[in-house]
Amino acid sequence: RPLLDAVGYYLPAPSDMLPTKAVDYKNNKELTLQVNDEEPFTALAFKVVTDPFVGRLVYFRVYSGVVKASDQVLNATRGKPERIGRLFLMHANKREELDSADTGSIVATLGLKNTFTGDTLSNIEKPVLLESIKFPEPVISIAIEPKSRSDQDKMGEALRKLSEEDPTFKVKYNEETGQIVISGMGELHLEIITHRMLSEFGVSANVGNPRVAYKETITAKAEAEGRF
């Protein structure tokens, strides 16, 4: 409680922040967004979560303007229109439904099918692009395979949803070895991923080291001397 009180007392409110830098979607020129409700709507999606009860939730922070449930907006990062579904103010394990979200609000919404972490949502008539989020590249990889045929059917969907939630988690099929390889930021990161597959998606999997496809190259010299 003292920490939260200090945040309220000492840190700036959204209205106290300096104008936000952005790029005009149409002419690629830099501009500034005034931090108030009168500006066109602009927000940054910073988290995607698959909720077992309500479905795919996209968290975003409103940098300017106001958005209402059922408004049509533009995903300026991908150039695709989206329709805002229900809006929620998240309270740990509780959700409070809202009619609208104003400048500075941090909310979650349903119904965004083509929006991912780091994407800009903006007014469809005056679209702009905010600076995206940069993520580090994965540093460790393991091979993963389903324990049974029923797990095989569910694994692809589980890995797809988990990779949508976490941009530092990557999934790749190695055609040379026939293995599914998952990559992350460390051993604990990948352990949590495999645990979530079991607890949230009911998928049991075996993990191991990725196989290496060894290759040989025939050089011009070796060919000339008859060595293969």
Side-chain angles (χ1 to χ4, degrees):
R1 183 175 292 276
L3 175 61
L4 294 177
D5 288 342
V7 169
Y9 293 147
Y10 303 118
L11 297 185
S15 57
D16 299 328
M17 299 296 291
L18 295 173
T20 303
K21 291 184 179 181
V23 175
D24 191 293
Y25 178 79
K26 296 178 180 177
N27 56 31
N28 207 34
K29 291 183 179 179
E30 189 173 298
L31 49 81
T32 55
L33 297 175
Q34 299 301 318
V35 186
N36 61 62
D37 293 347
E38 306 305 319
E39 289 286 306
F41 166 70
T42 308
L44 183 71
F46 65 89
K47 186 177 183 180
V48 177
V49 174
T50 302
D51 189 288
F53 300 104
V54 296
R56 189 175 187 267
L57 281 170
V58 177
Y59 288 70
F60 64 87
R61 181 188 187 275
V62 182
Y63 279 79
S64 66
V66 178
V67 67
K68 298 179 180 178
S70 77
D71 277 357
Q72 188 169 25
V73 299
L74 178 71
N75 182 328
T77 304
R78 303 178 187 275
K80 295 183 178 181
E82 292 271 41
R83 185 170 296 279
I84 300 291
R86 297 160 65 191
L87 290 170
F88 297 104
L89 186 62
M90 307 300 287
H91 301 280
N93 61 345
K94 295 190 300 181
R95 295 182 294 272
E96 177 186 344
E97 191 161 355
L98 304 173
D99 295 325
S100 63
D102 55 6
T103 302
S105 296
I106 295 176
V107 295
T109 185
L110 293 169
L112 302 184
K113 298 179 180 179
N114 299 305
T115 298
F116 301 88
T117 302
D119 288 359
T120 299
L121 300 172
S122 65
N123 183 288
I124 201 162
E125 296 178 357
K126 297 180 179 180
V128 298
L129 270 168
L130 296 171
E131 183 179 359
S132 187
I133 303 171
K134 296 180 175 64
F135 299 98
E137 290 297 316
V139 297
I140 189 171
S141 300
I142 60 173
I144 189 168
E145 61 181 19
K147 286 187 175 181
S148 65
R149 183 173 294 277
S150 61
D151 292 320
Q152 183 176 6
D153 296 336
K154 297 182 289 185
M155 177 177 283
E157 183 69 10
L159 292 174
R160 182 186 65 80
K161 290 181 178 179
L162 289 169
S163 62
E164 283 185 3
E165 292 184 16
D166 186 354
T168 63
F169 172 63
K170 305 292 184 183
V171 181
K172 182 176 68 175
Y173 177 72
N174 190 324
E175 294 183 353
E176 294 179 344
T177 62
Q179 288 183 308
I180 297 173
V181 179
I182 60 176
S183 306
M185 302 309 298
E187 291 182 5
L188 180 60
H189 184 196
L190 297 180
E191 285 177 13
I192 293 172
I193 290 290
T194 53
H195 176 72
R196 288 188 62 194
M197 287 176 59
L198 178 60
S199 61
E200 297 179 23
F201 300 96
V203 178
S204 298
N206 296 317
V207 298
N209 294 325
R211 289 195 292 267
V212 177
Y214 291 95
K215 298 180 179 180
E216 295 284 355
T217 300
I218 299 176
T219 65
K221 182 178 179 182
E223 187 175 357
E225 295 179 359
R227 296 201 308 265
F228 299 98

